[in-house]
Structures are given as structure tokens and as C-alpha cells.
Amino acid sequence: MPKGSNTPVPTASLRVELGWRTGPGVPDADASALLLVEGRVRSDDDLVFYNQTEHPSRAVRHEGKRVEAGRATDTLLVDLARVEPSVTSVIVAASADGGAFGEVPDLRVEVRDAARGEVVARFDDPGATVETAFVLGEFYRRQGAWKFRAVGQGYRAGLAGLATDYGISVDDPGQTPPAAPPVGNTPAPAAPPPPTPSPESPAPRPAKVTLTKAAPSVSLTKQGGSAGALRVNLNWRSREETSASGWARRLARAASARDLDLDLCALYELTDGRKGVVQALGNAFGDLGRPPYIRLDGDDRTGAVTTGENLTVSLDHRQRFRRILVFVTIYEGARSFADLRATVTLRPEHGAPVDFSLDECTVPSTVCALALITNTGQDLVVRREARYLVPDRGVSPQRAVDRAYGWGMNWTPGRK
């Protein structure tokens, strides 16, 4: 698509992929989305990015980043059928870290049919030079249907400047960055008029369930969440960040966590006796359509995706599971979990989300067992573990978890 052109969107369920070629000295890039009403956000919740991964309406979700064969891809999942009637447009944006977009080769955004994988729109090379943030494209309503426009609007103040320009309040005490003027002569496209509100809107999610030491487990079956996709997310922050607040904290986290690499993993045991691990090491990312029916969505190798990592479990195959242990290891960037604060969230496709916080780590631990999912035959139960382990000298974190939970697997060295 040339800059400024538009095209109809043939389906509501879409994957928006920000892609570029990696290499020495190439800045990292992050995809984001803003849901707008007449060109402005309604609240901070209307920005979806690596540090706030899902919109309350579930219309937009930040899936994560992958690096394969010299190319990086950061992905947003967009479900236009869930976009609230008052929202007139969904902006697709990107921010650069460690340089400007003029140093990012082969930059492009592709819109794909999420079910078929077919490209329905593509915008290459927005003409970047000194910009550190870009509005690449826009989904907007026109006469009851959705279209996608190639925008190519640049900003010099990164994600903070772009967010401020659309109405996000960056509440950094003592210093609030001004809105950065767009780079170039092309004005931001005017938002189309809002459509007539639809009588249908997404059903609200049930109230979340918070697990504690006193109440450490919950039945997904009784909560109505034992089918569909179960997404598991680990979100962390450093101890110093707890004293900050609002968007100043969220935007600052990107810089403080660039060198921290935590790996979300899962041990599984199937009812036929097969056992294994899903993890980034050895590229054992798993598969949702065949055993183990678990998929690690991506590996944050640079620390850029500071919401942690996500994995998905297909509960449609729950009868094939005996047990799943979700755990996290420190790959690099920290000696232990002592200086980190983390929250685990399990989001079933149906039923209430389940979350819990990890206890403060008081031992030199590099691996933490997070949650154990057990199939009792009649029930699917999630149990909060929050158990820090200290591997013996010469023992890998994975082997330490295996020993603690009696998985009985043989381990060989792995690498990313």
C-alpha cells in the first residue's frame, strides 16, 4: 500500500505484524495500538503495548515478539468485532529503542487474516529518518464497515510523546513531557464520524479470582473455564519501580528491564505417559494443534517485552493432560528473584481470570515454580505454587524443578 491509501478489511479477526531486519547496531522496535474516540483516548486503558498487553474489551492484545532467520516480528491481535461501538478508530503504532527508525532496515507492517494467515494489507518503508515513534496504520469505520489506512506519521519523542499526543497522561512527578509535534508535512488523518451504536457489545469478563496462601487453588471446571485457550502471563517489575506511579512507571520500565531475560516454561505430563518441556531453550516452543497442546508465544531475548512472556494451553485437549507445571527461570540479567516483583495471570477463554502475586524471594533462587494445573478426571484445578528453588551447584534450573516435582526426565544442555 502507498502512504495515505486505504483498503477494505475483509475479516474481523486479524494479526498485525510489525516486522524488520535485525543486525548489529539495529535498534529494537515495539508495536502498540491506541483505541480512539474522535481522535483521543478515553483513558490510559486505551493504549495497548508491551507493558499493558490487553484492552479491557479484549479487542486488541499484544501477543509478543519473535526473532527468526534474521527478522524480528512484534505482533498485535485485533478483533474488530469486539471493538466498542463508541470507538471510531484503532491506531497501529511503533516505537524504537536504542536509536531512530531510520536505522531500522526493511521496516513494514502486515495485516493478516488471523484464521488463514493471508496478507490483507501491507505497508512498507514509511520513509523514516530521525523518528523514534510512528503511526504506521489505522483501522477506521466507514459506513458500517472497517477499512485500513497506511499512515506513516512520525514522532521524535518515542512512545511517551506519541501517547501524550493522543491524550495519555504521563504522570511523572516533576516532569511531564510535552506532546511531540509530528515529523513531516502529512497531517494525521481525521477520524471518521462515529457509526450508529450496535445493540451488541462484548460480554463483560467475570470477576477475577485471586489465589493466596490461605486459598491457593481454584477449579477451572467450576468457573466454566475448562475449554478453549488458556493464556498464562508472567508480569514483573524491579523493587525500585514500586515507588513510582502511573504511566511514568510503565514507560520507564522499558529502560530498566532491557537487560533482564526471564524465560517462562512448562513441564507437561500427558495421560499416555509422555513427558516434556515447553521453553525457549532448544526452540522447544510447543504446538497447540498436536501434543503437547501448549505453545510458548515468544521469547523475549532482549528484555524489550517487559510484560514478561506468555504461553497458551489448549484446554480443548484437557483430557490428554495429567498435569502441567508452569515455572520461570532467570536466563540473564539478574542473579536471583530477590529484586523482582511478579504477578502471574491465567486467562481462560471462558470463565474468570485467575491471578496471584509471588512472595518476596529471600533465597538466591534462579527458578520459581509458578502454578500447577492438574486434571483429576472430573476437574481441572489450578494451584498457586509460588515456590522459589535454589539449584545445587552444577544443576540446571530445569533439572531442579524436575527433581522438586518428581517429573523424572533426562536433561541435556540447551541454548537459544
Side-chain angles (χ1 to χ4, degrees), residues 263-312:
D263 283 347
L264 191 62
C265 314
L267 286 175
Y268 63 85
E269 181 180 2
L270 303 182
T271 53
D272 61 8
R274 278 183 285 182
K275 301 176 182 179
V277 63
V278 174
Q279 61 178 7
L281 284 178
N283 293 320
F285 286 96
D287 196 296
L288 287 176
R290 58 184 179 181
Y293 309 111
I294 305 169
R295 175 73 180 175
L296 181 64
D297 292 358
D299 175 40
D300 172 19
R301 301 183 64 174
T302 65
V305 188
T306 53
T307 52
E309 296 178 359
N310 301 271
L311 62 81
T312 304

Short mmCIF file of all heavy atoms in Angstrom, two decimals, residues 263-312:
data_model
loop_
_atom_site.label_atom_id
_atom_site.label_comp_id
_atom_site.label_asym_id
_atom_site.label_seq_id
_atom_site.Cartn_x
_atom_site.Cartn_y
_atom_site.Cartn_z
N ASP A 263 12.64 -16.49 31.41
CA ASP A 263 12.06 -17.47 30.50
C ASP A 263 10.89 -18.18 31.16
O ASP A 263 11.06 -18.84 32.20
CB ASP A 263 13.11 -18.51 30.08
CG ASP A 263 14.07 -17.96 29.03
OD1 ASP A 263 13.77 -16.90 28.47
OD2 ASP A 263 15.11 -18.61 28.78
N LEU A 264 9.71 -18.04 30.58
CA LEU A 264 8.53 -18.76 31.04
C LEU A 264 8.56 -20.15 30.42
O LEU A 264 8.77 -20.30 29.21
CB LEU A 264 7.26 -18.01 30.63
CG LEU A 264 5.94 -18.47 31.25
CD1 LEU A 264 5.96 -18.29 32.76
CD2 LEU A 264 4.78 -17.69 30.65
N CYS A 265 8.35 -21.17 31.22
CA CYS A 265 8.47 -22.56 30.76
C CYS A 265 7.32 -23.39 31.33
O CYS A 265 6.60 -22.96 32.23
CB CYS A 265 9.80 -23.18 31.22
SG CYS A 265 11.27 -22.17 31.00
N ALA A 266 7.15 -24.60 30.81
CA ALA A 266 6.13 -25.50 31.33
C ALA A 266 6.60 -26.95 31.18
O ALA A 266 6.99 -27.38 30.09
CB ALA A 266 4.80 -25.31 30.62
N LEU A 267 6.58 -27.69 32.28
CA LEU A 267 6.71 -29.14 32.23
C LEU A 267 5.32 -29.72 32.02
O LEU A 267 4.35 -29.23 32.61
CB LEU A 267 7.30 -29.67 33.53
CG LEU A 267 8.79 -29.45 33.80
CD1 LEU A 267 9.15 -29.94 35.20
CD2 LEU A 267 9.64 -30.15 32.76
N TYR A 268 5.23 -30.75 31.20
CA TYR A 268 3.91 -31.37 31.00
C TYR A 268 4.03 -32.88 31.12
O TYR A 268 5.07 -33.49 30.85
CB TYR A 268 3.33 -30.98 29.63
CG TYR A 268 4.14 -31.46 28.45
CD1 TYR A 268 3.98 -32.74 27.92
CD2 TYR A 268 5.07 -30.62 27.84
CE1 TYR A 268 4.72 -33.17 26.83
CE2 TYR A 268 5.82 -31.03 26.76
CZ TYR A 268 5.64 -32.31 26.26
OH TYR A 268 6.39 -32.74 25.18
N GLU A 269 2.93 -33.48 31.54
CA GLU A 269 2.80 -34.94 31.55
C GLU A 269 1.42 -35.27 30.98
O GLU A 269 0.40 -34.77 31.49
CB GLU A 269 2.94 -35.50 32.96
CG GLU A 269 2.83 -37.03 33.00
CD GLU A 269 2.96 -37.59 34.41
OE1 GLU A 269 3.10 -36.80 35.37
OE2 GLU A 269 2.91 -38.83 34.54
N LEU A 270 1.39 -36.06 29.91
CA LEU A 270 0.14 -36.43 29.27
C LEU A 270 -0.38 -37.75 29.83
O LEU A 270 0.37 -38.52 30.46
CB LEU A 270 0.33 -36.53 27.76
CG LEU A 270 0.88 -35.26 27.07
CD1 LEU A 270 0.97 -35.48 25.56
CD2 LEU A 270 0.03 -34.04 27.38
N THR A 271 -1.64 -38.04 29.59
CA THR A 271 -2.24 -39.27 30.13
C THR A 271 -1.67 -40.52 29.51
O THR A 271 -1.78 -41.61 30.08
CB THR A 271 -3.77 -39.25 29.92
OG1 THR A 271 -4.04 -39.00 28.53
CG2 THR A 271 -4.42 -38.15 30.74
N ASP A 272 -1.03 -40.40 28.32
CA ASP A 272 -0.40 -41.58 27.71
C ASP A 272 1.03 -41.80 28.20
O ASP A 272 1.74 -42.67 27.69
CB ASP A 272 -0.42 -41.48 26.18
CG ASP A 272 0.35 -40.27 25.65
OD1 ASP A 272 1.03 -39.58 26.45
OD2 ASP A 272 0.27 -40.00 24.44
N GLY A 273 1.45 -40.98 29.20
CA GLY A 273 2.77 -41.16 29.79
C GLY A 273 3.85 -40.27 29.22
O GLY A 273 4.95 -40.20 29.79
N ARG A 274 3.58 -39.61 28.12
CA ARG A 274 4.60 -38.73 27.55
C ARG A 274 4.85 -37.53 28.45
O ARG A 274 3.91 -36.95 29.00
CB ARG A 274 4.18 -38.27 26.16
CG ARG A 274 4.46 -39.28 25.06
CD ARG A 274 4.10 -38.74 23.69
NE ARG A 274 2.66 -38.75 23.48
CZ ARG A 274 2.07 -38.35 22.35
NH1 ARG A 274 2.83 -37.92 21.34
NH2 ARG A 274 0.77 -38.39 22.23
N LYS A 275 6.14 -37.17 28.56
CA LYS A 275 6.54 -36.01 29.36
C LYS A 275 7.47 -35.14 28.53
O LYS A 275 8.14 -35.61 27.62
CB LYS A 275 7.26 -36.45 30.64
CG LYS A 275 6.45 -37.35 31.55
CD LYS A 275 7.27 -37.79 32.74
CE LYS A 275 6.50 -38.73 33.65
NZ LYS A 275 7.32 -39.20 34.79
N GLY A 276 7.51 -33.85 28.87
CA GLY A 276 8.40 -32.96 28.14
C GLY A 276 8.38 -31.57 28.74
O GLY A 276 7.79 -31.33 29.79
N VAL A 277 9.04 -30.65 28.03
CA VAL A 277 9.13 -29.27 28.48
C VAL A 277 8.86 -28.34 27.30
O VAL A 277 9.24 -28.64 26.17
CB VAL A 277 10.52 -28.97 29.10
CG1 VAL A 277 11.62 -29.12 28.06
CG2 VAL A 277 10.56 -27.59 29.74
N VAL A 278 8.18 -27.25 27.56
CA VAL A 278 7.99 -26.17 26.59
C VAL A 278 8.81 -24.99 27.09
O VAL A 278 8.59 -24.51 28.21
CB VAL A 278 6.51 -25.78 26.46
CG1 VAL A 278 6.35 -24.57 25.55
CG2 VAL A 278 5.70 -26.95 25.92
N GLN A 279 9.78 -24.53 26.27
CA GLN A 279 10.67 -23.46 26.70
C GLN A 279 11.39 -22.89 25.49
O GLN A 279 11.40 -23.50 24.41
CB GLN A 279 11.69 -23.97 27.72
CG GLN A 279 12.59 -25.07 27.18
CD GLN A 279 13.64 -25.52 28.19
OE1 GLN A 279 13.64 -25.11 29.34
NE2 GLN A 279 14.56 -26.37 27.76
N ALA A 280 12.02 -21.74 25.68
CA ALA A 280 12.77 -21.12 24.59
C ALA A 280 14.07 -21.85 24.30
O ALA A 280 14.51 -21.92 23.16
CB ALA A 280 13.05 -19.65 24.92
N LEU A 281 14.70 -22.39 25.35
CA LEU A 281 15.94 -23.14 25.15
C LEU A 281 15.69 -24.32 24.21
O LEU A 281 14.73 -25.08 24.40
CB LEU A 281 16.48 -23.65 26.48
CG LEU A 281 17.15 -22.63 27.40
CD1 LEU A 281 17.58 -23.29 28.70
CD2 LEU A 281 18.35 -21.99 26.71
N GLY A 282 16.54 -24.45 23.22
CA GLY A 282 16.38 -25.53 22.25
C GLY A 282 15.22 -25.31 21.30
O GLY A 282 14.83 -26.23 20.57
N ASN A 283 14.65 -24.09 21.30
CA ASN A 283 13.49 -23.77 20.44
C ASN A 283 12.33 -24.75 20.65
O ASN A 283 11.63 -25.11 19.70
CB ASN A 283 13.91 -23.75 18.97
CG ASN A 283 14.85 -22.59 18.66
OD1 ASN A 283 14.65 -21.49 19.16
ND2 ASN A 283 15.86 -22.84 17.85
N ALA A 284 12.13 -25.18 21.90
CA ALA A 284 11.04 -26.10 22.21
C ALA A 284 9.78 -25.31 22.52
O ALA A 284 9.28 -25.30 23.64
CB ALA A 284 11.43 -26.99 23.39
N PHE A 285 9.25 -24.61 21.50
CA PHE A 285 8.13 -23.69 21.70
C PHE A 285 6.78 -24.41 21.79
O PHE A 285 5.79 -23.81 22.16
CB PHE A 285 8.09 -22.66 20.57
CG PHE A 285 9.16 -21.61 20.68
CD1 PHE A 285 10.35 -21.74 19.99
CD2 PHE A 285 8.99 -20.50 21.49
CE1 PHE A 285 11.35 -20.78 20.09
CE2 PHE A 285 9.98 -19.53 21.61
CZ PHE A 285 11.17 -19.68 20.91
N GLY A 286 6.73 -25.70 21.43
CA GLY A 286 5.50 -26.45 21.55
C GLY A 286 4.56 -26.25 20.39
O GLY A 286 4.89 -25.64 19.37
N ASP A 287 3.32 -26.76 20.55
CA ASP A 287 2.33 -26.72 19.48
C ASP A 287 0.95 -26.83 20.11
O ASP A 287 0.75 -27.59 21.06
CB ASP A 287 2.56 -27.88 18.49
CG ASP A 287 1.83 -27.66 17.18
OD1 ASP A 287 0.58 -27.62 17.18
OD2 ASP A 287 2.50 -27.54 16.15
N LEU A 288 -0.02 -26.06 19.59
CA LEU A 288 -1.39 -26.11 20.12
C LEU A 288 -2.25 -27.16 19.44
O LEU A 288 -3.22 -27.64 20.03
CB LEU A 288 -2.05 -24.74 19.98
CG LEU A 288 -1.57 -23.64 20.92
CD1 LEU A 288 -2.25 -22.32 20.59
CD2 LEU A 288 -1.83 -24.01 22.37
N GLY A 289 -1.91 -27.53 18.20
CA GLY A 289 -2.75 -28.45 17.44
C GLY A 289 -2.39 -29.90 17.61
O GLY A 289 -3.12 -30.79 17.16
N ARG A 290 -1.27 -30.17 18.23
CA ARG A 290 -0.83 -31.55 18.46
C ARG A 290 -0.04 -31.58 19.77
O ARG A 290 0.29 -30.53 20.31
CB ARG A 290 0.02 -32.05 17.30
CG ARG A 290 1.26 -31.20 17.03
CD ARG A 290 1.99 -31.70 15.80
NE ARG A 290 3.18 -30.88 15.52
CZ ARG A 290 3.98 -31.08 14.49
NH1 ARG A 290 3.74 -32.07 13.65
NH2 ARG A 290 5.03 -30.30 14.32
N PRO A 291 0.25 -32.78 20.31
CA PRO A 291 0.99 -32.82 21.57
C PRO A 291 2.23 -31.94 21.52
O PRO A 291 2.93 -31.95 20.50
CB PRO A 291 1.35 -34.31 21.72
CG PRO A 291 0.27 -35.03 20.96
CD PRO A 291 -0.04 -34.12 19.79
N PRO A 292 2.47 -31.12 22.55
CA PRO A 292 1.85 -31.18 23.90
C PRO A 292 0.62 -30.30 24.08
O PRO A 292 0.16 -30.13 25.20
CB PRO A 292 2.99 -30.67 24.78
CG PRO A 292 3.67 -29.64 23.94
CD PRO A 292 3.63 -30.20 22.54
N TYR A 293 0.10 -29.67 23.02
CA TYR A 293 -1.06 -28.78 23.09
C TYR A 293 -0.78 -27.55 23.96
O TYR A 293 -1.69 -26.96 24.55
CB TYR A 293 -2.29 -29.53 23.63
CG TYR A 293 -2.56 -30.81 22.90
CD1 TYR A 293 -2.38 -32.04 23.53
CD2 TYR A 293 -2.97 -30.81 21.57
CE1 TYR A 293 -2.61 -33.22 22.85
CE2 TYR A 293 -3.20 -32.00 20.88
CZ TYR A 293 -3.01 -33.20 21.52
OH TYR A 293 -3.24 -34.38 20.85
N ILE A 294 0.48 -27.19 24.02
CA ILE A 294 0.95 -26.00 24.75
C ILE A 294 1.89 -25.25 23.81
O ILE A 294 2.70 -25.87 23.13
CB ILE A 294 1.70 -26.36 26.04
CG1 ILE A 294 0.85 -27.26 26.94
CG2 ILE A 294 2.14 -25.11 26.80
CD1 ILE A 294 1.62 -27.87 28.09
N ARG A 295 1.78 -23.93 23.80
CA ARG A 295 2.62 -23.14 22.90
C ARG A 295 3.17 -21.92 23.64
O ARG A 295 2.41 -21.15 24.24
CB ARG A 295 1.81 -22.66 21.69
CG ARG A 295 2.55 -21.73 20.74
CD ARG A 295 3.58 -22.42 19.94
NE ARG A 295 4.29 -21.50 19.04
CZ ARG A 295 5.33 -21.83 18.28
NH1 ARG A 295 5.78 -23.08 18.29
NH2 ARG A 295 5.92 -20.95 17.51
N LEU A 296 4.50 -21.76 23.62
CA LEU A 296 5.12 -20.54 24.12
C LEU A 296 5.03 -19.51 23.01
O LEU A 296 5.53 -19.72 21.91
CB LEU A 296 6.58 -20.82 24.50
CG LEU A 296 7.38 -19.64 25.06
CD1 LEU A 296 6.79 -19.18 26.39
CD2 LEU A 296 8.85 -20.03 25.24
N ASP A 297 4.38 -18.38 23.31
CA ASP A 297 4.08 -17.41 22.26
C ASP A 297 5.32 -16.73 21.70
O ASP A 297 5.34 -16.31 20.55
CB ASP A 297 3.12 -16.34 22.79
CG ASP A 297 1.74 -16.91 23.08
OD1 ASP A 297 1.54 -18.10 22.81
OD2 ASP A 297 0.88 -16.18 23.57
N GLY A 298 6.35 -16.57 22.50
CA GLY A 298 7.55 -15.91 22.01
C GLY A 298 8.59 -15.84 23.10
O GLY A 298 8.30 -16.08 24.27
N ASP A 299 9.82 -15.53 22.70
CA ASP A 299 10.90 -15.42 23.66
C ASP A 299 11.44 -14.01 23.65
O ASP A 299 11.83 -13.50 22.61
CB ASP A 299 12.03 -16.40 23.31
CG ASP A 299 13.23 -16.23 24.22
OD1 ASP A 299 13.02 -16.00 25.42
OD2 ASP A 299 14.38 -16.31 23.73
N ASP A 300 11.43 -13.36 24.82
CA ASP A 300 11.99 -12.02 24.95
C ASP A 300 13.49 -12.13 25.16
O ASP A 300 13.97 -12.26 26.27
CB ASP A 300 11.34 -11.31 26.14
CG ASP A 300 12.01 -9.99 26.46
OD1 ASP A 300 12.71 -9.47 25.58
OD2 ASP A 300 11.82 -9.51 27.58
N ARG A 301 14.25 -12.10 24.08
CA ARG A 301 15.69 -12.30 24.16
C ARG A 301 16.43 -11.02 24.50
O ARG A 301 17.62 -11.06 24.83
CB ARG A 301 16.22 -12.87 22.85
CG ARG A 301 15.58 -14.20 22.49
CD ARG A 301 16.16 -14.80 21.24
NE ARG A 301 17.56 -15.13 21.41
CZ ARG A 301 18.27 -15.78 20.49
NH1 ARG A 301 17.70 -16.16 19.37
NH2 ARG A 301 19.55 -16.04 20.69
N THR A 302 15.76 -9.87 24.40
CA THR A 302 16.45 -8.61 24.65
C THR A 302 15.93 -7.88 25.88
O THR A 302 16.50 -6.89 26.29
CB THR A 302 16.27 -7.67 23.45
OG1 THR A 302 14.88 -7.34 23.34
CG2 THR A 302 16.75 -8.32 22.17
N GLY A 303 14.85 -8.35 26.46
CA GLY A 303 14.23 -7.62 27.56
C GLY A 303 13.25 -6.57 27.09
O GLY A 303 12.69 -5.84 27.89
N ALA A 304 12.99 -6.49 25.76
CA ALA A 304 12.11 -5.44 25.24
C ALA A 304 10.67 -5.68 25.63
O ALA A 304 9.92 -4.75 25.87
CB ALA A 304 12.24 -5.36 23.72
N VAL A 305 10.23 -6.91 25.68
CA VAL A 305 8.84 -7.19 26.01
C VAL A 305 8.75 -7.33 27.53
O VAL A 305 8.77 -8.40 28.08
CB VAL A 305 8.35 -8.48 25.32
CG1 VAL A 305 6.86 -8.65 25.51
CG2 VAL A 305 8.68 -8.44 23.85
N THR A 306 8.68 -6.19 28.19
CA THR A 306 8.86 -6.17 29.63
C THR A 306 7.63 -6.62 30.39
O THR A 306 7.63 -6.58 31.62
CB THR A 306 9.27 -4.77 30.08
OG1 THR A 306 8.34 -3.83 29.57
CG2 THR A 306 10.66 -4.45 29.58
N THR A 307 6.58 -7.04 29.74
CA THR A 307 5.47 -7.66 30.45
C THR A 307 5.78 -9.12 30.71
O THR A 307 4.94 -9.83 31.24
CB THR A 307 4.20 -7.58 29.62
OG1 THR A 307 4.45 -8.09 28.34
CG2 THR A 307 3.69 -6.18 29.55
N GLY A 308 6.93 -9.58 30.39
CA GLY A 308 7.25 -10.98 30.54
C GLY A 308 6.83 -11.75 29.31
O GLY A 308 6.64 -11.19 28.24
N GLU A 309 6.68 -13.04 29.48
CA GLU A 309 6.34 -13.89 28.36
C GLU A 309 4.99 -14.54 28.59
O GLU A 309 4.47 -14.56 29.70
CB GLU A 309 7.43 -14.94 28.17
CG GLU A 309 8.76 -14.31 27.79
CD GLU A 309 9.87 -15.34 27.64
OE1 GLU A 309 9.61 -16.54 27.85
OE2 GLU A 309 10.99 -14.93 27.31
N ASN A 310 4.43 -15.07 27.51
CA ASN A 310 3.11 -15.68 27.56
C ASN A 310 3.18 -17.06 26.96
O ASN A 310 3.89 -17.29 25.98
CB ASN A 310 2.11 -14.85 26.75
CG ASN A 310 1.98 -13.42 27.25
OD1 ASN A 310 1.18 -13.14 28.12
ND2 ASN A 310 2.79 -12.52 26.69
N LEU A 311 2.43 -17.98 27.53
CA LEU A 311 2.23 -19.27 26.88
C LEU A 311 0.74 -19.59 26.88
O LEU A 311 -0.03 -19.08 27.70
CB LEU A 311 3.07 -20.39 27.51
CG LEU A 311 2.88 -20.80 28.96
CD1 LEU A 311 1.70 -21.75 29.11
CD2 LEU A 311 4.13 -21.51 29.45
N THR A 312 0.35 -20.42 25.93
CA THR A 312 -1.06 -20.76 25.75
C THR A 312 -1.23 -22.26 25.86
O THR A 312 -0.43 -23.03 25.31
CB THR A 312 -1.56 -20.27 24.37
OG1 THR A 312 -1.31 -18.87 24.25
CG2 THR A 312 -3.05 -20.53 24.21
#
